[in-house]
Amino acid sequence: MEITNVVSKLPWEKSVGRRLLKDIQYAVVHHDAALTGDAYDAVSTYIGQAKYHIGKGWGHMSYHLRIARNGEVSQAVPFEEIGYHAGSWKHNKAGIGICLDGDMTKQDSTPAQLSSLRALMRYLANERPDMPKLVREGFYAHKEVRLMPTACPSPLIATIVKDFRNGK
């Protein structure tokens, strides 16, 4: 699984909390709710979104991993850093945020994104011995953990995540 680290390219105001990798037990899947064409500069998009998240007082980009429309996976926040993404402190404190680029209420995720999401979930659950508590059963769609109702990420993505969690 190839993951490009873009952490140093994104604005960062402050840490909002740290945890040990061994304490991570959830991954919450999102979409960024921003209409995106298929040709765009993902890092520029992430810079703008990081600025928006900082403006909300969240200190930095809220999602640890991003999946671009072309399927490229980027790490935007170190896994040890807590991100405000889930709408549930339990899932923020012990979870990582995975975000697909695009507004999946108005556009379809691309086949490349879905393929990368599946590969990324398998990688995180099976090939990261430094995160032993992050297993299949710890993967959720945002709408499953957020305390307030949300359409995020989309019915299709939510089904993919639920199927992965259930071993399908």
Side-chain angles (χ1 to χ4, degrees), residues 106-159:
K106 298 178 179 148
Q107 66 188 132
D108 292 332
S109 42
T110 67
Q113 281 180 305
L114 299 178
S115 176
S116 290
L117 174 61
R118 288 180 178 104
L120 181 59
M121 289 189 299
R122 284 191 305 272
Y123 167 74
L124 292 170
N126 300 318
E127 298 178 38
R128 291 297 304 251
D130 54 342
M131 292 189 271
K133 294 180 183 173
L134 183 55
V135 296
R136 290 177 91 90
E137 295 81 10
F139 286 76
Y140 292 92
H142 185 206
K143 65 177 67 185
E144 294 181 283
V145 301
R146 182 163 178 195
L147 303 177
M148 302 291 291
T150 181
C152 177
S154 76
L156 173 61
I157 295 169
T159 297

Side-chain angles (χ1 to χ4, degrees), residues 19 26 28 64 81-96:
R19 73 285 179 87
Y26 305 107
V28 180
H64 297 86
E81 178 69 21
I82 295 171
Y84 289 129
H85 60 89
S88 151
W89 179 245
K90 169 185 168 181
H91 294 93
N92 285 340
K93 185 177 176 189
I96 58 174

